[in-house]
Each structure stands twice: as structure tokens, then as C-alpha cells.
């Protein structure tokens, strides 16, 4: 039987097809060493570039440890990888960040950023939402970053479940 995640990705053709569009983003940030925390809320857009990759742009508001809200942005580049439910993610300067294979609906990539280690966990929740967590540990970092994304445009709906 086809898993729900595989059905969603099959409906779009690829992971990049599934991501294409606009998503609301809500992120919590916790610094476990200091006890400080914050939030980010905004919009993530995944838009095709001239090379067939998706430019992932986030724009929103960061509230950190009681300071005044401030604008915040982030960009990544997602490229198709070996199979339809897979992608490779890069920083804007072209450095490799991590691979992602969502064949089963979830994956746990690791990114070595010496001296720190980023351990991720990505989950396709349902047809219109997904989430991921990064656990960052190292000599100077002890962070948990939890992100939830929900599709914004109705035209990208991929159905409510696998075919019977």
C-alpha cells in the first residue's frame, strides 16, 4: 500500500513540486544553555529559478528573549536529487547544507558545521502541512529550532489521502 507521504509526492511528481508555492511559517527557538527563547512568524515561498531548483525565501518577524520584534529573512536553494521524494538543500552561497529523502514521509538529516552538529527531523504531516526540528549542539551552541509550515494557496492542494 502506498503511504500518505508517497501519495502526496506522487501527486505533484517530486518533492520540489510539493513544496512549490507559499507557506505560513511558525518557528520556536530555544537556547537550552541560557534558557532564552524566541519565535519567528512569517511566509516561506518556494519559487522555481532558471535552473529548475526552488528558491526558498522566508520573510517575517523574529521576537527573541523579550526584545522588540524585528524583521528577519532566510534563503536556501533546493535542488532535485536522485529520486522524486528527494532533494539537496544549499545555502545561498552554494555550500551544501543537507540532503532530504521523504520517501517514508520523514527523514533525519545531519549537518556538520564544525565545531557544531545540526541534527534535523523532517515530517510531512498531511497534505497541507509539514514540520521540521533542528537540534544544534556544540561547544558554543545548545539550541532547539522547531518549525511548522502550512500551505497558504488553495490551488496547491494535493488531496486528503491516498487512493483507496
Amino acid at each position: 500500500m502506498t503511504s500518505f507521504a508517497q501519495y502526496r509526492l506522487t501527486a505533484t511528481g517530486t518533492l520540489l513540486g510539493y513544496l512549490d508555492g507559499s507557506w505560513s511559517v511558525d518557528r520556536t527557538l530555544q537556547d537550552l544553555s541560557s534558557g532564552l527563547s524566541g519565535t519567528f512568524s512569517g511566509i516561506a515561498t518556494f519559487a522555481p529559478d532558471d535552473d529548475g531548483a526552488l528558491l526558498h525565501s522566508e520573510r517575517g518577524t523574529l521576537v527573541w528573549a523579550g526584545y522588540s520584534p524585528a524583521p528577519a529573512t532566510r534563503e536556501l536553494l533546493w535542488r532535485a536529487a536522485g529520486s522524486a521524494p528527494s532533494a539537496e538543500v544549499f545555502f545561498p552561497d552554494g555550500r551544501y547544507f543537507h540532503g532530504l529523502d521523504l520517501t517514508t514521509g520523514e527523514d533525519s538529516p545531519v549537518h556538520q558545521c564544525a565545531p557544531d552538529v545540526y541534527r534535523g527531523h523532517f515530517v510531512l504531516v498531511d497534505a497541507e502541512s509539514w514540520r521540521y526540528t533542528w537540534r544544534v549542539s556544540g561547544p558554543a551552541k545548545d539550541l532547539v529550532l522547531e518549525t511548522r509550515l502550512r500551505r497558504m494557496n488553495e490551488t496547491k492542494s494535493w488531496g486528503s489521502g491516498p487512493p483507496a
Side-chain angles (χ1 to χ4, degrees):
M1 179 177 201
T2 302
S3 76
F4 187 51
Q6 290 168 322
Y7 169 72
R8 286 196 308 274
L9 294 175
T10 300
T12 65
T14 65
L15 175 57
L16 299 187
Y18 172 77
L19 294 173
D20 188 11
S22 297
W23 302 78
S24 64
V25 179
D26 290 298
R27 180 174 297 124
T28 59
L29 307 94
Q30 298 175 315
D31 183 333
L32 301 177
S33 62
S34 70
L36 298 176
S37 64
T39 61
F40 171 85
S41 295
I43 305 294
T45 38
F46 289 80
D49 73 1
D50 294 336
D51 296 325
L54 283 183
L55 179 60
H56 170 184
S57 299
E58 289 184 6
R59 305 283 182 264
T61 302
L62 176 67
V63 177
W64 178 252
Y67 289 97
S68 296
T73 63
R74 178 173 88 150
E75 290 190 341
L76 297 168
L77 189 65
W78 294 61
R79 295 191 183 280
S83 67
S86 299
E88 292 182 324
V89 183
F90 297 85
F91 294 108
D93 64 5
R95 289 177 299 127
Y96 180 77
F97 184 14
H98 65 86
L100 193 61
D101 182 345
L102 293 171
T103 301
T104 66
E106 59 186 87
D107 193 16
S108 296
V110 175
H111 172 70
Q112 299 286 334
C113 188
D116 303 309
V117 177
Y118 288 65
R119 289 180 175 82
H121 187 72
F122 288 68
V123 177
L124 296 175
V125 176
D126 59 36
E128 304 300 324
S129 63
W130 56 293
R131 69 175 188 263
Y132 60 90
T133 301
W134 285 106
R135 175 71 172 90
V136 186
S137 56
K141 293 181 183 174
D142 192 9
L143 307 171
V144 177
L145 312 171
E146 296 180 332
T147 304
R148 297 188 187 291
L149 297 100
R150 177 159 292 283
R151 188 175 303 284
M152 294 183 62
N153 51 0
E154 303 276 330
T155 61
K156 290 286 185 178
S157 178
W158 307 117
S160 58

